[in-house]
Amino acid sequence: MVQLESVTDSHVDFNDPWQQSALPAEFCDWRIADGPVLATAVHAGHQIRRELLPLLAADEDKRRRDEDPLTDLLAAVAESCVLVRQSRFEVDLNRPRARALTLDPEETWGIRFWQERPPTAVLERSLALHDAFYARMAAVLNQLLASNDCVLVLDVHSYNHRRGGPDSEPAAAAENPTIDLGITEINLQRWRPLVQQFAAALRQQPLGSARTDVRFNVRYPDGGYFPKWINAHYEDRLCVLTLEYKKMFMDEWSGIVDLHLLEQLRVGLSRAVKVVRPLLLMGQCHG
């Protein structure tokens, strides 16, 4: 388990209602019910504050290619969902605060997104969004845990597999599953029954003539900051799984979407949630 001191919350006051409400309404959709499943799409958004636009070096298509479009539609299958509308290039909620506004191209696949370093005041306004998001997220998780024995959080993302260009061949399937299920940030001994049933349900979904290829920790063996933060604070009663969907449901260069394939993936995720929901409700989700 990630040590709590490595997941700093020095700028987040979980008990400060003002900080929790400091996010602009357009930053994120919060749809919170009473049930035990919450899905998030923290990289789905494309909005960027107007004051940042003149500082960008990357055009809109390049930014969109390295965001996670349509993951909000997948995450919406859960009874509770958090759908971020702001771009990860304004503030990356899956990175620690110190790296939440990425300035180094080595951290963005060699792509230069910024012409120059934004002024300090501008940076601080973005980082304040990071603080407010985590304060609000803590309040939401506490609310869900108050009415459920245990909670499943689905951290939904997508990944590119044709970085060589619009005419390039897809990356080898052996290293790029349909869904890379990240389980690095959980106590697998505790959550094994839930993880096994969830993965098995995802695999049952047909994609054309094939079934969904689901494997564990293939692309991102170290996990992201968001699941690390959740696990550090809530590991005993909360299971966080990261789902990295290969962008086979769209052309990552043109943006053209295969709606039929996207719907199949959505149905598969919805089925997996329904399969494990009784475990969560009956408190039988632990190993």
Side-chain angles (χ1 to χ4, degrees):
M1 188 182 95
V2 177
Q3 295 300 308
L4 185 58
E5 57 266 25
S6 71
V7 187
T8 177
D9 300 306
S10 59
H11 295 264
V12 179
D13 184 347
F14 295 161
N15 298 312
D16 183 349
W18 181 88
Q19 191 175 60
Q20 294 171 20
S21 63
L23 286 173
E26 65 273 13
F27 181 88
C28 189
D29 290 344
W30 303 82
R31 306 175 190 175
I32 308 302
D34 293 329
V37 182
L38 168 70
T40 65
V42 300
H43 286 165
H46 187 60
Q47 299 174 165
I48 286 188
R49 289 201 322 276
R50 184 173 299 176
E51 66 177 341
L52 288 169
L53 292 175
L55 305 176
L56 287 168
D59 61 24
E60 191 164 357
D61 289 342
K62 187 175 290 185
R63 285 192 288 115
R64 201 65 175 118
R65 191 157 53 248
D66 283 296
E67 294 159 344
D68 293 352
L70 304 173
T71 53
D72 51 341
L73 298 182
L74 296 170
V77 304
E79 54 221 38
S80 294
C81 55
V82 176
L83 313 175
V84 177
R85 301 304 180 197
Q86 218 71 5
S87 173
R88 66 185 299 185
F89 298 112
E90 173 169 343
V91 57
D92 194 330
L93 301 171
N94 201 31
R95 296 187 179 192
R97 189 183 197 276
R99 296 173 50 232
L101 201 159
T102 304
L103 304 171
D104 185 353
E106 291 187 7
E107 294 186 353
T108 52
W109 315 282
I111 300 169
R112 181 169 170 258
F113 282 100
W114 299 97
Q115 297 182 35
E116 58 187 55
R117 180 182 177 85
T120 299
V122 174
L123 284 174
E124 286 301 320
R125 281 191 281 276
S126 289
L127 296 179
L129 298 173
H130 192 277
D131 299 337
F133 174 84
Y134 275 91
R136 177 74 181 275
M137 182 58 66
V140 166
L141 295 177
N142 289 334
Q143 174 185 333
L144 293 176
L145 288 170
S147 55
N148 296 280
D149 178 66
C150 48
V151 172
L152 173 64
V153 176
L154 303 175
D155 173 33
V156 183
H157 297 265
S158 62
Y159 73 90
N160 293 328
H161 65 123
R162 292 176 53 224
R163 286 204 174 271
D167 299 319
S168 64
E169 291 295 319
E175 299 172 356
N176 295 271
T178 310
I179 304 174
D180 185 7
L181 193 57
I183 56 173
T184 58
E185 304 308 328
I186 64 173
N187 181 339
L188 191 55
Q189 183 176 358
R190 175 182 293 274
W191 299 104
R192 189 182 304 275
L194 184 146
V195 171
Q196 289 177 333
Q197 292 196 35
F198 188 82
L202 288 175
R203 293 188 183 106
Q204 290 300 308
Q205 177 60 37
L207 298 176
S209 59
R211 290 201 181 276
T212 306
D213 176 16
V214 180
R215 284 175 273 157
F216 299 105
N217 303 334
V218 177
R219 298 264 315 179
Y220 305 99
D222 295 332
Y225 177 80
F226 182 52
K228 289 181 193 293
W229 177 86
I230 291 176
N231 193 59
H233 287 281
Y234 300 98
E235 185 257 352
D236 286 343
R237 295 179 56 201
L238 194 152
C239 178
V240 55
L241 303 177
T242 297
L243 294 95
E244 289 278 358
Y245 283 83
K246 180 162 62 175
K247 286 185 182 174
M248 57 190 295
F249 56 85
M250 64 181 296
D251 184 319
E252 63 198 53
W253 290 90
S254 69
I256 295 174
V257 179
D258 184 332
L259 291 175
H260 178 64
L261 187 54
L262 179 64
E263 175 61 12
Q264 287 180 310
L265 293 170
R266 192 197 66 81
V267 168
L269 181 57
S270 179
R271 179 187 294 113
V273 168
K274 290 177 182 177
V275 165
V276 300
R277 197 171 188 274
L279 291 178
L280 295 160
L281 291 173
M282 294 185 294
Q284 298 177 356
C285 42
H286 297 171

